[in-house]
Amino acid sequence: MEDFVCPRCGNRDPKYIGYKNGFPYCRFCISLRGENAPDYSYSGGEAILSLKYDLSKEQKEISERLIFNFKRGYDTLINAVCGAGKTELVYGVIEYALKRKLSICFAIPRKDVVIELEERIKNAFPNNKIVSVYGGNTTILSGDIVICTTHQLFRYNNYFDLIILDEIDAFPFINNSLLNVMYAKSKKGVAILMSATPSFEILNEFSKDNHEILELNVRFHHKEIPVPKIVIRPSEIKRLYILSFLKKHIKDNKQVFIFAPTIYMAEAIFDFIKSFFKNGNVVHSKKEDRKQIIEDFKKKKYMFLVTTSVLERGVTVKNLQVLVYRADFSLYDTKTLIQISGRVGRKYDASEGEIIFLADSISSSMEEARRTIISKNKYLQNMF
Ligand SMILES: [Zn+2]
């Protein structure tokens, strides 16, 4: 029998090939099935970028370089620290492509971030049709800018003239060969990849011809990244520490995220806190109304949220203070702790904040996250 190669994902591993009525089919990409996007046609008015603030000098330089690379067909990797204002970097090249009525995609591994980004892109390009596509939201697949989860890229075959892929080191995209294949298939033109912690493989790939790596090491407001404070407390005392942390910040009208490693722990901590502080909630992947809860939090209906790592990326809240409960838990690797720390101090006029790693003992990931942030701040100091 001839070897079967899946026309969709290129899989040829017999382990993932099934037979129906004697015909082979691919079981590897079976989870990525559904309607394909219709052919693209530009539907917007005049593409005008509407930004209510200026980019920093560093952001402008990268933004212009991205347009240059787009024109000459180079793929670019942007290596940028959390809070450096990565999204703003690509507005220029998006505007350039929109004016030429080209098809554009902004893909991110996680749905929560897609939803948040949709609002920002809509504000930036008010004359264009912006659509978001993610599991449960797949009715409209075509627009001038498609913002989607990396899972949805299978619907776009050789489609995008400009594809921007953010948080490439995040679950579930990282190490997922199927999603990587679907990304490659959806790309027709030029790619821009963004990451705060690019892997060795990606850095290697972008060191080749027709590729470029650009670094943005500076937060757009030129302030330092808050350094995590490590607090070691025995088990019951930890809960009291959380209460005093909440009390201090809520009194100052500052909102708080409390990260917990598991859904069970998140629920348990929330149960404990809610008898002391009424104005909070808990979010995790099993919480169905979490989109609404996050919206309400942004509107300050809640002063605190207990959360699992679902809020590790993407959500930007002014004056946010963060505590990581059981930061020594094995699930919190260095990258995750750096990402979480990056939640704090993201707004220009509120760039300071507290980030606490509350733990039984100091893990090597906690140490390393702290050390990385301190060394990034040193880099900053040497620049200005
Ligand atoms: Zn397949």
Side-chain angles (χ1 to χ4, degrees), residues 4-12 16 25-30 33 178 182:
F4 171 75
V5 181
C6 173
R8 297 184 77 235
C9 73
N11 166 48
R12 55 176 76 222
Y16 295 105
Y25 70 95
C26 178
R27 291 190 309 196
F28 193 58
C29 61
I30 204 154
R33 289 287 154 94
L178 183 56
M182 293 304 170

Side-chain angles (χ1 to χ4, degrees), residues 145-212:
I145 306 174
V146 173
I147 304 170
C148 66
T149 55
T150 46
H151 265 95
Q152 298 296 327
L153 286 173
F154 74 87
R155 300 177 186 277
Y156 304 89
N157 213 344
N158 193 28
Y159 201 93
F160 296 114
D161 299 298
L162 170 63
I163 179 163
I164 299 151
L165 197 57
D166 197 0
E167 305 193 337
I168 50 167
D169 39 36
F171 180 82
F173 188 72
I174 188 165
N175 300 331
N176 185 321
S177 57
L178 183 56
L179 292 181
N180 277 279
V181 167
M182 293 304 170
Y183 149 68
K185 281 185 79 173
S186 71
K187 173 184 182 241
K188 187 168 77 180
V190 170
I192 297 171
L193 271 58
M194 302 203 279
S195 167
T197 44
S199 66
F200 177 74
E201 289 76 18
I202 290 280
L203 289 171
N204 212 11
E205 191 191 325
F206 277 80
S207 306
K208 293 176 185 161
D209 288 347
N210 305 329
H211 288 72
E212 188 170 48

